Amino acid sequence: MGTIDHCTTSASELSDSLRTFGAVLKALRDEARLTQEEFAPRVSYSSAYIAKIEQGKRFPPRELVERSEDVLGPLAARVLAAAARSLTRRVGLASWFQHWAAIEEEAVSLYAYECRVVPGLLQPEEYIRALFRRHLPPLSDEQSEQQVAGRLARQSHLTERPNTEFCFIIEEALLRRGFGGPEVTKALLDHLLAQGRLRNVEIQMMPIEQPEHSGFEGPMYLAETPDSRWVGYVEGHEASMLITSPKASSAMLRRYGRMRSQALSHQDTASLLEQMRGAL
């Protein structure tokens, strides 16, 4: 299921829509005489996450409307669903990426293998800006800032969802490349070391020399949904494919498991990152 969809909604329209949805949610919650702390666990989210949605700083997950019906009532759920229908885009996220972004926000496990660039969830701001400066066709300053902000916002998943397991396999060549220059590489190595210290994050480096490498089919992302299903995702050149077939996603999961055994361990990866950082 490959799709190419060009985003035409402006950032200001998106921001207004997010704030409007947040205001509607807050009004309905207040009408039910529930605080954020009381409402959040009833819809299976943290109060901090609900606060950001009400402030227009987070795109509401699709499941929020469904879960709200039992808490706020069917009429309130219909009002919330109507407000949600105006949210057809996510600020700073490419339109073809948005379906996966919704799954990513809800995943209980998220696996990634990359051989092109460091995964977006692990990119420091300096690296992100270096990427978008080299984007072709060139981006305007406004477009670039939207993309940077959107990617940085996604990274809050790592710290705001401590019960979600994040696993990353990254090709060693990506870190040896020196993309963006020495300062960007230093920032990248420091960031990877810091993120790798989080208890729910595991980073493994695939050595340059690995004769048994099972990742020859290219980058892949896998997510385990709250109902214990696995979904796959691949992308490239402004197109993406969401893989929902149990047979296909199972095959991806098997390949990912094999690669984890072929890559350096999390501890050995951290040691090599330290060595690379010290050599700069």
Side-chain angles (χ1 to χ4, degrees), residues 2 11 16 23 26 36 48 55 67 72 80 96 100-101 103 107 122 162 165 195 217 224 236 250 254 261:
D16 288 345
K26 182 179 185 304
Q36 289 176 345
Q55 294 162 10
R67 297 175 188 176
L72 302 177
L80 203 59
W96 43 264
W100 175 253
I103 293 172
L122 293 178
E165 176 192 24
Q195 299 302 89
E217 294 195 45
E224 182 184 10
S250 175
R254 290 172 63 186
S261 71

Side-chain angles (χ1 to χ4, degrees), residues 216-234:
F216 51 84
E217 294 195 45
M220 62 173 161
Y221 291 78
L222 285 155
E224 182 184 10
T225 65
D227 58 354
S228 301
R229 292 183 300 109
W230 283 92
V231 179
Y233 176 78
V234 294

Side-chain angles (χ1 to χ4, degrees), residues 24-252:
V24 170
L25 176 60
K26 182 179 185 304
L28 294 172
R29 177 179 57 74
D30 288 343
E31 182 68 20
R33 297 184 178 181
L34 293 171
T35 66
Q36 289 176 345
E37 290 73 17
E38 292 168 334
F39 174 72
R42 299 187 188 189
V43 290
S44 302
Y45 297 105
S46 69
S47 57
Y49 191 58
I50 293 298
K52 289 179 180 178
I53 292 175
E54 291 187 355
Q55 294 162 10
K57 296 179 179 179
R58 284 289 184 277
F59 196 98
R62 290 172 297 177
E63 288 77 5
L64 177 61
V65 175
E66 299 173 8
R67 297 175 188 176
S68 295
E69 183 169 359
D70 290 338
V71 181
L72 302 177
L75 178 58
R78 287 199 294 272
V79 173
L80 203 59
R85 282 194 287 272
S86 68
L87 299 171
T88 57
R89 296 287 188 268
R90 291 165 184 252
V91 177
L93 295 182
S95 54
W96 43 264
F97 178 76
Q98 295 189 26
H99 196 171
W100 175 253
I103 293 172
E104 184 182 75
E105 285 188 351
E106 291 289 284
V108 295
S109 298
L110 189 71
Y111 296 171
Y113 163 65
E114 268 293 357
C115 58
R116 304 164 302 181
V117 294
V118 171
L121 290 176
L122 293 178
Q123 295 173 4
E125 184 172 346
E126 296 89 338
Y127 189 91
I128 297 171
R129 292 188 179 279
L131 284 172
F132 289 125
R133 279 198 299 272
R134 291 159 177 78
H135 189 278
L136 292 174
L139 300 174
S140 68
D141 289 344
E142 181 182 5
Q143 289 173 322
S144 180
E145 289 303 317
Q146 290 173 16
Q147 295 285 345
V148 171
R151 189 159 298 181
L152 289 174
R154 282 177 55 221
Q155 294 180 0
S156 64
H157 296 336
L158 300 181
T159 53
E160 291 181 356
R161 290 161 50 200
N163 295 321
T164 296
E165 176 192 24
F166 295 91
C167 298
F168 303 93
I169 301 174
I170 307 170
E171 290 289 338
E172 180 182 349
L174 293 179
L175 308 180
R176 300 284 186 188
R177 182 172 295 157
F179 177 80
E183 294 306 312
V184 171
T185 299
K186 288 178 184 177
L188 174 61
L189 295 175
D190 287 341
H191 191 68
L192 291 176
L193 285 165
Q195 299 302 89
R197 295 187 190 104
L198 298 174
R199 287 185 295 176
N200 60 327
V201 175
E202 182 172 282
I203 301 173
Q204 293 183 258
M205 199 183 304
M206 182 67 76
I208 292 176
E209 295 185 11
Q210 175 46 279
E212 302 300 321
H213 198 329
S214 298
F216 51 84
E217 294 195 45
M220 62 173 161
Y221 291 78
L222 285 155
E224 182 184 10
T225 65
D227 58 354
S228 301
R229 292 183 300 109
W230 283 92
V231 179
Y233 176 78
V234 294
E235 67 175 40
H237 296 279
E238 299 190 28
S240 66
M241 181 166 61
L242 191 66
I243 300 167
T244 57
S245 161
K247 183 177 180 180
S249 56
S250 175
M252 292 176 68

